[in-house]
Amino acid sequence: MRKIVIVGGGYAGFYTAWGLEKRLRRGEAEVIVVDPAPYMTYQPFLPEVAAGSIEARHAIVPLHRHLRRTRIVSGRATAIDHAARTVRVELPDGSMADLSYDEVVVTAGAVTRVFPVPGIAEKAIGLKRIEEAVAVRDAVLTAFDEAVSLRRGPERQRRLTVVFIGGGFAGVEGFGELLSLATALSKYHPDLSRDELAFHLVDASDHILPEVTPPARVWVERHLQSRGAIVHLNTTVTSVVDGRVELSNGVSIDAGLVVWTAGIAANPVVSRHTDLPTDERGLVIVRPDLRVGTEDEPIDHAWAAGDDAAVPDLASGAGAYTIPNAQHAVRQGKRLAKNLAAVIRGRTPKAYRHRSLGTIATLGIGHGIFQSGPITIKGLPAWIIHRGYHVLAVPTWERKTRVSLGWLGALFLGRDIASLASVQRPRDAFRDDATSRRAA
Ligand SMILES: Cc1cc2nc3c(=O)[nH]c(=O)nc-3n(C[C@H](O)[C@H](O)[C@H](O)COP(=O)(O)OP(=O)(O)OC[C@H]3O[C@@H](n4cnc5c(N)ncnc54)[C@H](O)[C@@H]3O)c2cc1C
């Protein structure tokens, strides 16, 4: 039986495995997904998880439940040796294993791009993983809970200060959602005044949200400012040592929370640890049908899709590549499954072609922006489209139902504002009890 190893069970990998399960007959091939996480993360929901509008577990799709005919290997691929047809995997106990394959599918996605700013690794947090979204949510909720018990002054102000670095899609959505959460929280904390909240969004370029047209960007910027945000454009962060954010425009901010959303970079397993061909950005070079290589130098039995692949964008014209987003990753995963099944059966694969449906971003409850071609929709209607689109897009009816019921509950009951920050130190209470008993 042929062995297909899929490296990464995120968007593209999950849809490839799901598609293969539907297409392949029993005994035709064994499908294996390698991923350190036992779930696919629906990343567009992370800003809403951070804002407490979606329960964290509903924003992820458990692989064991939804890929019933696929073998899931919990582990991190450290190298892909296509000449030897093996993927080297670090297993949960730290041991290494070599998985042999007949076909490899590389869908390991991207990693957060971090610049060497002093203090950034120690003090900031990203917004690309579910645990980061949960930690951001708890940090804001805890900051409010604690700030009310402190006297007005620098320490209270620091806890109520949030800085987002990077005004792209993920940054603006996360920022808008947290601003919305903070505004909602002020209702429960009448002792805190609105002017004590400080939300800063920093971007190195002269605009935020490059995915939309210049007038729409300006609208988003003004909209956030009208809700109390401070936007620093043409500004870089020079230091975050001890939580003091120093900006190139001379501003210095003592922040309780620093969120880094300044873009993505190639996954090291693809850019550095494989003999598959990569481009100057470190992405796997693929043909329009998602097989690795070029028409002149094809590489057999290797496929790639999603954020880790340079996929020709046939809908945009010669020389263009698809942009790294979920819209493409999902469709590429589906196309890859069809093409791989076709090749196994001796048929010809088809080229991937998708014209972008547009851009839709949440800016917090009741606020959003949608743009498709000449059409721009702002405010509440855009936010409704955002929710409608994403609840349809999240895979499986089981997840759609959980997310919708959560939203429905919140509509009547409001946001759940309990912080579970202590979950990050679950043994503290037990350890204290054990040591005090021993001391007694
Ligand atoms: C906050 C946020 C909001 C977003 N909102 C939108 C949106 O509204 N619309 C949109 O179109 N896009 C959005 N995106 C982008 C979109 O989520 C990504 O483009 C998409 O997830 C890419 O899919 P992928 O399969 O290539 O990678 P991923 O979904 O990132 O999956 C990669 C998988 O590979 C695994 N992996 C990584 N390294 C290894 C390894 N060494 N070995 C094994 N497995 C590995 C990871 O654990 C992960 O499961 C958003 C992204 C973020 C962060």
Side-chain angles (χ1 to χ4, degrees), residues 87 187 194 243 255 328 390 393 399 407 415 430:
V87 175
K187 277 189 273 176
R194 183 67 189 78
H328 284 297
H390 282 296
R399 293 287 122 175
W407 282 338
R415 284 180 217 243
F430 178 78

Side-chain angles (χ1 to χ4, degrees), residues 113 115-118 120 163-167 200-207 231-240 244-253 258 260 262:
R113 181 182 53 168
F115 300 112
V117 175
I120 205 80
V163 178
F164 266 68
I165 306 166
H200 298 262
L201 176 61
V202 183
D203 199 284
S205 70
D206 62 359
H207 57 263
V231 181
H232 306 264
L233 297 178
N234 297 309
T235 306
T236 54
V237 175
T238 53
S239 171
V240 188
R244 169 163 289 214
V245 183
E246 305 282 0
L247 303 181
S248 60
N249 60 5
V251 174
S252 177
I253 307 158
V258 181
W260 180 272

Side-chain angles (χ1 to χ4, degrees), residues 47-69:
E48 286 195 67
V49 171
S53 295
I54 293 180
E55 166 55 37
R57 281 193 294 182
H58 300 168
I60 56 178
V61 183
L63 301 180
H64 285 280
R65 175 163 181 171
H66 294 287
L67 296 176
R68 302 302 289 271
R69 290 174 52 203

Side-chain angles (χ1 to χ4, degrees), residues 6-14 33-37 39-47 63 73 75-79 87-89 106-112 127-129 169-171 173-174 261 264 267-270 305-309 323-330 332 358 360-362 386 389-390:
I6 302 175
V7 179
Y11 261 97
F14 176 84
V33 169
V34 181
D35 200 308
Y39 47 76
M40 172 258 202
T41 304
Y42 192 83
Q43 291 174 19
F45 278 158
L46 294 183
L63 301 180
V73 173
R76 178 177 302 282
T78 57
V87 175
R88 197 154 176 72
V89 182
V106 187
T107 47
V111 296
T112 304
L127 189 58
K128 192 164 168 45
R129 296 160 183 273
F169 206 81
E173 284 200 316
T261 49
I264 54 172
N267 191 315
V269 73
V270 170
D307 284 4
D308 68 6
I323 55 170
N325 68 17
Q327 225 184 97
H328 284 297
V330 167
Q332 287 169 5
I360 179 91
T362 170
H386 178 269
Y389 172 80
H390 282 296

